[in-house]
Amino acid sequence: MQLLWLSLLLPFQISGISRVPLIMQSPETLLVQTDKESKLLCDIRSSTNIYGIYWFRQVEPPGTGSHYQFLVHLDSKSTFNHGEGVKPEHVLVSRESHKSTLRLLNMKPSDSGIYICGIVAGHQLVFGSGTRLNVVDVLPTTPMPTKKTTPKKRICSTKRSEVTQQNGFLCSALPLSLLVGCAVVLLISLIVIIRINYLWNLARHHFVKQLQR
């Protein structure tokens, strides 16, 4: 009888004299793995007395084919009543002041849907925005961020034997060529000095003979 009365009021929001309460549900979306549990929070911000808290599940997306399943009702005395076909060991509800927590245990993919918290406060029936819950067998893996790899500078490291084999001739020929070059320069310089000295002596001898005449 209680479910029938509530189902008649579900599409409407009865306006009273007091201000409309605000219901904040969290999280907005939730992804749960099969056989795990989930926790949904209903935060009620109302200055009026709360006579009852209801939890529903919207089985299909909004549209002509969607329907609501009554899960559990918690009255002002913290007495709760489960809906038809709902297992009490599977759906747990608690209340603390203006907050209500819904715990779902051993979840299955068939438990997916939009879970809605509703209250009867004063003369008003108000519903929250709902929490979209998806139950999957395998949680998607988060791809690892790709790291930028900077190419390392290639350092040519050659063994001593390789250097000797490949460049030994050049390394040994370089100082030898320097020595030969120096020797050639000295020899040419010596020849030039001897030639100049010879020409000088020849010119002096010729000059002395001219003076004797």
Side-chain angles (χ1 to χ4, degrees):
M1 183 66 183
Q2 186 182 44
L3 180 59
L4 178 61
W5 171 80
L6 190 61
S7 63
L8 294 175
L9 294 180
L10 185 60
F12 305 98
Q13 200 173 68
I14 304 176
S15 301
I17 300 175
S18 60
R19 188 175 59 180
V20 177
L22 179 63
I23 299 179
M24 304 295 294
Q25 285 192 238
S26 60
E28 294 183 0
T29 59
L30 186 60
L31 185 63
V32 183
Q33 192 173 7
T34 303
D35 296 330
K36 300 296 182 179
E37 70 172 77
S38 61
K39 184 183 294 186
L40 311 180
L41 180 64
C42 179
D43 187 5
I44 307 163
R45 302 176 184 178
S46 173
S47 58
T48 60
N49 294 328
I50 300 173
Y51 298 104
I53 299 176
Y54 296 85
W55 283 94
F56 301 90
R57 181 170 71 102
Q58 188 178 10
V59 180
E60 298 292 340
T64 56
S66 62
H67 64 278
Y68 294 87
Q69 177 189 10
F70 169 67
L71 298 176
V72 63
H73 165 244
L74 188 65
D75 59 19
S76 57
K77 298 180 181 180
S78 297
T79 303
F80 52 86
N81 299 310
H82 289 82
E84 183 179 357
V86 178
K87 298 179 181 180
E89 65 273 13
H90 176 66
V91 179
L92 305 177
V93 64
S94 61
R95 176 180 177 180
E96 181 180 354
S97 183
H98 281 51
K99 293 183 179 180
S100 176
T101 302
L102 179 68
R103 291 181 60 200
L104 305 171
L105 307 179
N106 299 322
M107 303 201 66
K108 306 298 180 185
S110 58
D111 294 322
S112 300
I114 300 176
Y115 287 77
I116 303 173
C117 174
I119 65 168
V120 178
H123 301 283
Q124 303 176 24
L125 177 64
V126 186
F127 297 94
S129 57
T131 296
R132 183 178 295 275
L133 178 64
N134 290 323
V135 184
V136 294
D137 293 331
V138 180
L139 293 176
T141 57
T142 304
M144 295 294 292
T146 56
K147 296 182 180 180
K148 291 185 177 180
T149 56
T150 55
K152 296 182 178 180
K153 294 182 178 180
R154 299 184 62 183
I155 301 175
C156 295
S157 59
T158 57
K159 296 182 179 179
R160 187 176 182 86
S161 59
E162 294 178 355
V163 174
T164 305
Q165 292 176 0
Q166 295 178 2
N167 301 326
F169 177 76
L170 293 177
C171 293
S172 58
L174 181 61
L176 182 60
S177 60
L178 291 176
L179 292 175
V180 173
C182 293
V184 172
V185 171
L186 291 175
L187 182 61
I188 294 175
S189 300
L190 183 61
I191 294 173
V192 170
I193 292 173
I194 293 174
R195 181 65 177 172
I196 293 174
N197 190 29
Y198 171 75
L199 293 175
W200 171 255
N201 291 330
L202 183 65
R204 187 178 61 177
H205 180 71
H206 181 72
F207 180 72
V208 171
K209 287 180 67 175
Q210 289 293 334
L211 288 178
Q212 289 178 357
R213 290 181 183 180

